[in-house]
Amino acid sequence: LLMMAALMRSGSREGMVGVVFICLVAFVRSSPAGKLKIAVAVVAVVIAAALFMPRSLTSRFVTIIRSTQQAQSLQERDLLESAAGSAQSRWDLLRTSTKITMEHPLFGVGLGQFGPYVAGQMAARGQFSYWFGTHNTYTQLSSEAGIPALCLFVATLLTCILSLGRVYRRARVIPGDQAQDVASMALALQTAFLAFCVVGCFNHMAYEMTIPLMAAITVAIGRGARNELYRME
């Protein structure tokens, strides 16, 4: 509910993709009764959104799957044009960052230097450019730090996801509230990693503290749960 409230205020399409993905993960992992509850909740949210969400916001979210729409007001037309322009800009940034990765595959162009590098190239051609980020965590790393750095980053994500999966599978079969608390923590953190893997395709977050912090918590849970689960067993 907090995530939906944030989406209503921001109109973030990246956030909407993240919410949909988390709902899918929850649906797949739920019991039959849980699947029914999630399906009912999703239907209720969609109906409420159709009834109460401003059309301008609805139109912005619809651009995720459909780029062309018929505007019903000047304000909505401006919003749709802005959303379409933003989407096109991100496709251009993806192509540009991929091209730079192929040109500098080992070490990239330097941490945080994608924007200045592209602006410098365009200035050399007599064109003006703002300093944009890549809007993609994976091409941010590959273009600025090189493909080896990207491989290490992805390996960190996969290692954490697999480690949390092992803790969850072991804890959930042990009776008792303490074991179930461990299972819940592992499941929640693993879901957060999976969501990050998805939304990372739409924003550049490689140098933020999110992943190092989550990875540290993963190590703490893994080491702490090992002895605790052994004692419970």
Side-chain angles (χ1 to χ4, degrees):
L1 291 176
L2 287 173
M3 294 173 72
M4 292 303 298
L7 287 177
M8 296 307 102
R9 292 178 61 86
S10 65
S12 170
R13 290 169 293 181
E14 169 198 343
M16 177 61 73
V17 171
V19 169
V20 170
F21 178 77
I22 289 175
C23 289
L24 288 174
V25 171
F27 183 84
V28 169
R29 287 179 162 171
S30 294
S31 63
K35 287 181 169 62
L36 179 61
K37 293 177 182 178
I38 292 173
V40 171
V42 168
V43 171
V45 168
V46 171
I47 293 175
L51 293 175
F52 302 110
M53 187 187 298
R55 178 174 167 78
S56 57
L57 200 57
T58 305
S59 301
R60 178 176 174 83
F61 287 136
V62 170
T63 58
I64 296 175
I65 57 177
R66 189 174 63 190
S67 59
T68 57
Q69 297 182 70
Q70 185 65 37
Q72 296 185 357
S73 67
L74 291 177
Q75 181 182 8
E76 186 177 343
R77 184 195 66 185
D78 293 341
L79 181 65
L80 290 176
E81 289 179 352
S82 173
S86 173
Q88 183 59 48
S89 173
R90 294 192 181 195
W91 276 113
D92 292 341
L93 288 169
L94 178 61
R95 286 191 289 267
T96 301
S97 58
T98 302
K99 180 175 180 290
I100 292 175
T101 298
M102 296 299 101
E103 295 172 350
H104 305 273
L106 289 181
F107 302 109
V109 296
L111 301 185
Q113 296 304 302
F114 173 81
Y117 182 84
V118 173
Q121 283 191 325
M122 296 188 70
R125 298 195 295 266
Q127 300 173 317
F128 174 77
S129 172
Y130 293 102
W131 287 16
F132 288 111
T134 62
H135 277 287
N136 184 300
T137 298
Y138 306 106
T139 60
Q140 176 189 18
L141 275 167
S142 64
S143 63
E144 295 184 351
I147 294 176
L150 172 63
C151 292
L152 290 173
F153 184 80
V154 172
T156 299
L157 295 176
L158 292 176
T159 300
C160 290
I161 290 171
L162 295 175
S163 173
L164 291 166
R166 288 192 294 269
V167 173
Y168 170 71
R169 288 191 298 272
R170 182 178 176 186
R172 70 173 181 171
V173 298
I174 301 175
D177 292 340
Q178 289 183 327
Q180 297 313 305
D181 287 343
V182 173
S184 296
M185 286 190 290
L187 180 61
L189 189 56
Q190 187 189 53
T191 303
F193 269 108
L194 293 171
F196 182 93
C197 290
V198 174
V199 300
C201 296
F202 306 97
N203 202 350
H204 47 279
M205 305 177 285
Y207 314 135
E208 296 181 5
M209 281 300 298
T210 307
I211 289 302
L213 179 60
M214 290 168 59
I217 297 173
T218 298
V219 172
I221 290 178
R223 292 188 175 182
R226 187 182 303 123
N227 294 332
E228 285 299 305
L229 294 177
Y230 178 77
R231 178 183 59 82
M232 296 174 195
E233 288 169 335

Short mmCIF file of all heavy atoms in Angstrom, two decimals, residues 13 60 80-93 135:
data_model
loop_
_atom_site.label_atom_id
_atom_site.label_comp_id
_atom_site.label_asym_id
_atom_site.label_seq_id
_atom_site.Cartn_x
_atom_site.Cartn_y
_atom_site.Cartn_z
N ARG A 13 7.06 5.04 -13.69
CA ARG A 13 6.82 3.81 -14.43
C ARG A 13 7.80 2.72 -13.98
O ARG A 13 7.45 1.54 -13.96
CB ARG A 13 6.96 4.07 -15.93
CG ARG A 13 5.82 4.92 -16.48
CD ARG A 13 6.09 5.40 -17.89
NE ARG A 13 7.19 6.36 -17.91
CZ ARG A 13 7.62 6.96 -19.02
NH1 ARG A 13 7.05 6.69 -20.18
NH2 ARG A 13 8.62 7.82 -18.96
N ARG A 60 -0.02 7.95 -18.33
CA ARG A 60 1.43 7.82 -18.21
C ARG A 60 1.84 6.37 -17.96
O ARG A 60 2.79 5.87 -18.57
CB ARG A 60 1.94 8.71 -17.06
CG ARG A 60 3.44 8.61 -16.84
CD ARG A 60 3.89 9.59 -15.77
NE ARG A 60 5.31 9.40 -15.46
CZ ARG A 60 6.31 9.90 -16.16
NH1 ARG A 60 6.06 10.65 -17.22
NH2 ARG A 60 7.56 9.69 -15.82
N LEU A 80 1.62 13.15 -22.19
CA LEU A 80 1.91 11.98 -23.03
C LEU A 80 3.14 12.23 -23.90
O LEU A 80 3.96 11.32 -24.09
CB LEU A 80 0.70 11.66 -23.91
CG LEU A 80 -0.52 11.10 -23.17
CD1 LEU A 80 -1.68 10.92 -24.14
CD2 LEU A 80 -0.18 9.78 -22.51
N GLU A 81 3.28 13.43 -24.42
CA GLU A 81 4.45 13.75 -25.23
C GLU A 81 5.72 13.69 -24.39
O GLU A 81 6.77 13.20 -24.84
CB GLU A 81 4.30 15.14 -25.86
CG GLU A 81 3.25 15.19 -26.96
CD GLU A 81 3.10 16.59 -27.53
OE1 GLU A 81 3.70 17.53 -26.96
OE2 GLU A 81 2.39 16.75 -28.55
N SER A 82 5.62 14.16 -23.14
CA SER A 82 6.77 14.11 -22.24
C SER A 82 7.13 12.66 -21.92
O SER A 82 8.32 12.29 -21.92
CB SER A 82 6.46 14.88 -20.95
OG SER A 82 7.49 14.71 -20.01
N ALA A 83 6.11 11.83 -21.65
CA ALA A 83 6.36 10.42 -21.33
C ALA A 83 6.97 9.69 -22.52
O ALA A 83 7.90 8.89 -22.37
CB ALA A 83 5.07 9.74 -20.90
N ALA A 84 6.43 9.97 -23.73
CA ALA A 84 6.97 9.32 -24.93
C ALA A 84 8.40 9.77 -25.20
O ALA A 84 9.26 8.96 -25.57
CB ALA A 84 6.08 9.63 -26.13
N GLY A 85 8.66 11.06 -24.99
CA GLY A 85 10.02 11.57 -25.18
C GLY A 85 10.99 10.97 -24.20
O GLY A 85 12.13 10.64 -24.54
N SER A 86 10.53 10.78 -22.95
CA SER A 86 11.37 10.16 -21.93
C SER A 86 11.70 8.72 -22.31
O SER A 86 12.86 8.28 -22.17
CB SER A 86 10.66 10.21 -20.58
OG SER A 86 11.37 9.48 -19.61
N ALA A 87 10.70 7.98 -22.77
CA ALA A 87 10.94 6.59 -23.17
C ALA A 87 11.93 6.51 -24.33
O ALA A 87 12.84 5.68 -24.33
CB ALA A 87 9.62 5.93 -23.54
N GLN A 88 11.77 7.38 -25.34
CA GLN A 88 12.67 7.39 -26.48
C GLN A 88 14.09 7.75 -26.05
O GLN A 88 15.08 7.16 -26.52
CB GLN A 88 12.18 8.37 -27.54
CG GLN A 88 13.03 8.40 -28.81
CD GLN A 88 13.09 7.04 -29.49
OE1 GLN A 88 12.07 6.40 -29.69
NE2 GLN A 88 14.28 6.60 -29.84
N SER A 89 14.19 8.71 -25.13
CA SER A 89 15.51 9.12 -24.64
C SER A 89 16.22 7.96 -23.95
O SER A 89 17.43 7.77 -24.12
CB SER A 89 15.35 10.29 -23.67
OG SER A 89 16.56 10.61 -23.04
N ARG A 90 15.46 7.16 -23.20
CA ARG A 90 16.09 6.04 -22.49
C ARG A 90 16.53 4.94 -23.46
O ARG A 90 17.56 4.30 -23.24
CB ARG A 90 15.13 5.49 -21.44
CG ARG A 90 14.86 6.50 -20.35
CD ARG A 90 14.15 5.93 -19.15
NE ARG A 90 13.91 6.96 -18.16
CZ ARG A 90 13.57 6.71 -16.90
NH1 ARG A 90 13.43 5.46 -16.49
NH2 ARG A 90 13.37 7.69 -16.05
N TRP A 91 15.77 4.74 -24.54
CA TRP A 91 16.22 3.79 -25.56
C TRP A 91 17.52 4.28 -26.20
O TRP A 91 18.43 3.49 -26.45
CB TRP A 91 15.15 3.61 -26.62
CG TRP A 91 14.10 2.61 -26.28
CD1 TRP A 91 12.77 2.85 -26.02
CD2 TRP A 91 14.27 1.20 -26.13
NE1 TRP A 91 12.12 1.68 -25.72
CE2 TRP A 91 13.00 0.65 -25.79
CE3 TRP A 91 15.36 0.34 -26.26
CZ2 TRP A 91 12.81 -0.71 -25.56
CZ3 TRP A 91 15.17 -1.02 -26.04
CH2 TRP A 91 13.91 -1.53 -25.70
N ASP A 92 17.61 5.58 -26.46
CA ASP A 92 18.83 6.14 -27.04
C ASP A 92 20.02 5.97 -26.10
O ASP A 92 21.13 5.64 -26.52
CB ASP A 92 18.62 7.62 -27.36
CG ASP A 92 17.62 7.84 -28.49
OD1 ASP A 92 17.36 6.89 -29.26
OD2 ASP A 92 17.06 8.96 -28.59
N LEU A 93 19.77 6.21 -24.80
CA LEU A 93 20.84 6.04 -23.81
C LEU A 93 21.30 4.59 -23.72
O LEU A 93 22.48 4.32 -23.54
CB LEU A 93 20.36 6.54 -22.44
CG LEU A 93 20.20 8.04 -22.28
CD1 LEU A 93 19.48 8.38 -20.97
CD2 LEU A 93 21.58 8.73 -22.30
N HIS A 135 20.56 5.41 -17.16
CA HIS A 135 19.22 4.91 -16.83
C HIS A 135 19.16 3.38 -16.92
O HIS A 135 18.10 2.81 -17.17
CB HIS A 135 18.14 5.54 -17.71
CG HIS A 135 17.70 6.89 -17.22
ND1 HIS A 135 16.92 7.04 -16.10
CD2 HIS A 135 17.97 8.14 -17.67
CE1 HIS A 135 16.70 8.33 -15.89
NE2 HIS A 135 17.34 9.01 -16.82
#
